[in-house]
Amino acid sequence: MPKAKPGDHAAPSPPARSRGRLIVVANRLPVNRAGAGDWSRSPGGLVSALEPILARRRGVWVGWDGGTGRAPRPFVHQNLSIHPVALSARDVEQFYNGMSNRSLWPLYHDAIRTPEFHRRWWETYQDTNQRFARAAARVARRGDLVWVHDYHLQLVPRMLRELRPDLRIGFFLHIPFPPEELFAWLPWRTAVLKGLLGADVVAFQTQSSAQNFSRMARRYAGAEGTDARVETGPRAVRVRALPISIDFQEFDTLAADPKVVRAAKEIRQRLGGRRVLLSVDRLDYTKGIEHRLYMFEDLLDRGLIGVDDAVMVQIAVPSREVVPDYTQTRTQVEHSVGRINGAHAEPGRVAVHYFRRSLSRQDLAAYYLVADVMLVTPLRDGMNLVAKEYVATRRDLSGALVLSEFAGAARELRRALLVNPRDVDGFGAAVRQALSLPSEDARQRMAILRMNVRRHDVHDWARAFLEELEGS
Ligand code: ADQ
């Protein structure tokens, strides 16, 4: 691996459409420790999204291994070259739990919980971003493309450009980029914008996020230009809306797997043959789990739905459990489930099944097959892959998707039943509509939804991003 020192690579950018390697820089590595010296692929939005692309292109991944000791030496896992970055316990506390998940995450999600700002978190955020930038600068060869991901690493594009001006650098934000009313709260807003402006391409899930960014860059970072192209000094930065997607084929195929079909049949029997309302989320306050339970409770209380006809299944993966807002959300969710079942369950007829665990892809697909109605109702979400995964498994065109207007996915999946999750009446009415949708209407909707996801899958997303980057 050639060692790069700052200034070594000041040659002009390689020609467009070069086929260098793809270097992904993300907070987490796509692998978890599975025992002494052993690694396994980890679940989660970003990993599911990038796995197929990296399999097709020579891939390098720079990221944190999740521990707080010394970083393991670089290694190869299933053809992917892995370069771990070390974080100390203090970094985890201040960069990851603090600045990333208690400042930026709530701020960028409509301040659903109040963001906290602390100078020491910001200092550690800068140091840690610098470490990721240095790691990427060391790994990258001339002609490689560097693709930096997400809110944890917003300073990396500029830092990396300073170390390696020869590289093409792209950045993708997986979560929403907020409007001025919120973004302006950030004490370090100019530094964050300048960090992002170090990239050649900055892309977002939606047009409105892209527009918010361009406007903020002009307002607070001295950039000029339009919504799609901002200039800072001699450099131009492309600003794009490139909504992420899923591997449609993977879920479509899983749904036809006899083992998955058998598992689905068994789950349905165990649920007593009732209509199934399903939700699958990380246990996060942005996902609107409490609002959803409240809506369901309201339908039960008013006798508009009964436990003999319908059951709600909430599958929630534990997430960020050391952050107080998450512990509180978990407590509230568990309290609600207990209250609803306490009031409405009958012998052998639970109103809400709540599973706090991660499922295998097969089990997840089996649950999607069982769901007559899929409830994807975040209060704010960059995209939401679960909505797309559900659609991809509905080969027989049955089932209905109830989708929040506040998920990026709502911009594409327009034939879903769109709801405002804070409007209990409207939300409840949409759920009742979903349960009684005439089958021809349901089939037509699902056919269009499937076409949306099939035509615009994760390969298409990555291709579009890389084309922008190679052509920049
Ligand atoms: P997330 O907030 O993690 O991602 P999401 O898009 O829903 O949200 O992705 C979650 C992924 O985890 C899905 O692939 C889902 O199948 C999987 N998953 C969820 N619950 C599971 C469970 N119990 N067991 C196993 N797997 C489970 C962030 C942004 C999103 C954006 C993605 C990708 O917040 O808005 O869509 O990145 O850009």
Side-chain angles (χ1 to χ4, degrees):
M1 196 72 57
K3 280 249 158 44
K5 287 201 284 324
D8 268 5
H9 299 268
S13 293
R17 312 204 62 76
S18 61
R19 298 293 287 183
R21 297 173 309 167
L22 176 60
I23 300 183
V24 172
V25 187
N27 176 50
R28 286 303 297 268
L29 287 172
V31 290
N32 278 326
R33 273 177 212 277
D38 235 14
W39 298 83
S40 66
R41 287 289 158 117
S42 45
L46 179 58
V47 182
S48 343
L50 289 181
E51 215 164 35
I53 306 134
L54 287 161
R56 281 186 292 113
R57 210 170 159 132
R58 281 171 307 152
V60 181
W61 196 304
V62 176
W64 172 44
D65 69 331
T68 51
R70 286 170 62 120
R73 298 179 65 79
F75 61 95
V76 174
H77 186 265
Q78 295 173 3
N79 286 330
L80 182 62
S81 175
I82 306 274
H83 289 256
V85 172
L87 294 193
S88 66
R90 185 169 171 273
D91 296 334
V92 175
E93 166 77 23
Q94 303 193 350
F95 153 76
Y96 182 67
N97 294 327
M99 188 68 203
S100 298
N101 288 329
R102 291 174 69 178
S103 311
L104 295 168
W105 178 270
L107 180 68
Y108 284 25
H109 286 90
D110 290 358
I112 295 167
R113 293 289 185 276
T114 308
E116 289 175 54
F117 303 112
H118 297 289
R119 201 184 282 125
R120 62 183 191 285
W121 291 357
W122 168 244
E123 281 159 8
T124 309
Y125 184 83
Q126 294 174 90
D127 292 348
T128 313
N129 271 243
Q130 190 63 254
R131 204 169 319 138
F132 278 86
R134 269 195 234 114
R138 267 197 305 276
V139 170
R141 301 176 191 152
R142 256 184 72 70
D144 288 347
L145 298 174
V146 183
W147 188 352
V148 184
H149 288 264
D150 231 358
Y151 61 104
H152 319 86
L153 302 179
Q154 293 175 100
L155 307 180
V156 168
R158 181 179 188 183
M159 291 170 166
L160 181 56
R161 182 162 300 284
E162 277 164 10
L163 295 167
R164 292 288 304 271
D166 62 302
L167 294 172
R168 281 176 205 283
I169 305 167
F171 181 92
F172 185 79
L173 187 70
H174 290 258
I175 66 175
F177 193 91
E180 176 162 15
E181 289 73 10
L182 291 165
F183 186 73
W185 294 10
L186 186 61
W188 309 286
R189 60 199 181 194
T190 300
V192 164
L193 291 164
K194 287 190 170 164
L196 292 169
L197 287 167
D200 296 293
V201 176
V202 183
F204 300 88
Q205 302 275 26
T206 63
Q207 201 61 52
S208 59
S209 282
Q211 215 168 56
N212 289 341
F213 170 73
S214 300
R215 290 182 182 166
M216 294 305 90
R218 293 196 295 262
R219 175 94 173 74
Y220 295 110
E224 290 180 358
T226 62
D227 283 349
R229 182 189 147 96
V230 289
E231 284 134 33
T232 75
R235 293 184 48 252
V237 180
R238 293 183 183 199
V239 182
R240 295 289 184 267
L242 298 173
I244 200 168
S245 194
I246 59 155
D247 188 347
F248 180 91
Q249 208 59 52
E250 181 199 349
F251 280 89
D252 186 58
T253 307
L254 262 181
D257 180 336
K259 279 200 228 107
V260 170
V261 174
R262 216 174 309 125
K265 204 169 150 199
E266 204 181 305
I267 296 168
R268 190 173 274 286
Q269 272 168 3
R270 285 181 173 213
L271 292 173
R274 296 177 284 169
R275 314 292 302 283
V276 177
L277 307 167
L278 175 69
S279 287
V280 176
D281 315 84
R282 263 186 321 98
L283 191 34
D284 191 305
Y285 53 80
T286 59
K287 303 291 182 185
I289 305 174
E290 298 116 300
H291 290 71
R292 200 181 295 145
L293 288 167
Y294 186 79
M295 173 281 302
F296 189 60
E297 183 175 24
D298 185 63
L299 290 180
L300 288 166
D301 284 347
R302 295 200 291 150
L304 296 172
I305 230 173
V307 288
D308 284 334
D309 327 314
V311 57
M312 182 165 168
V313 178
Q314 172 68 60
I315 302 171
V317 207
S319 182
R320 305 176 193 166
E321 295 201 311
V322 297
V323 175
D325 282 327
Y326 286 74
T327 333
Q328 216 176 61
T329 302
R330 177 181 165 191
T331 307
Q332 277 166 5
V333 164
E334 295 182 351
H335 189 90
S336 299
V337 171
R339 191 182 58 234
I340 297 170
N341 282 332
H344 295 283
E346 298 287 343
R349 287 259 189 277
V350 166
V352 181
H353 279 282
Y354 164 67
F355 305 118
R356 191 177 138 272
R357 68 197 68 157
S358 181
L359 300 181
S360 68
R361 297 293 248 198
Q362 280 77 6
D363 287 346
L364 200 57
Y367 273 98
Y368 287 147
L369 282 185
V370 165
D372 298 293
V373 177
M374 186 78 204
L375 303 176
V376 180
T377 57
L379 302 178
R380 177 58 74 192
D381 215 333
M383 177 52 57
N384 196 298
L385 298 178
V386 169
K388 295 186 172 183
E389 291 168 0
Y390 173 67
V391 162
T393 61
R394 307 305 296 190
R395 297 166 62 100
D396 67 359
L397 306 184
S398 68
L401 174 63
V402 175
L403 178 62
S404 165
E405 294 163 11
F406 303 100
R411 302 274 81 79
E412 295 167 89
L413 304 180
R414 294 186 167 276
R415 294 309 298 274
L417 297 166
L418 296 180
V419 295
N420 168 5
R422 291 181 170 92
D423 166 13
V424 191
D425 292 337
F427 189 179
V431 168
R432 292 178 68 213
Q433 187 191 349
L435 283 168
S436 59
L437 219 50
S439 68
E440 198 40 42
D441 186 4
R443 288 172 63 81
Q444 276 178 15
R445 285 173 181 272
M446 191 54 77
I448 294 172
L449 293 172
R450 283 173 62 80
M451 194 176 69
N452 296 149
V453 183
R454 183 191 281 119
R455 282 202 184 149
H456 178 62
D457 68 0
V458 71
H459 306 293
D460 188 54
W461 168 74
R463 207 179 304 122
F465 187 92
L466 294 175
E467 268 175 28
E468 288 288 353
L469 190 54
E470 287 178 323
S472 62

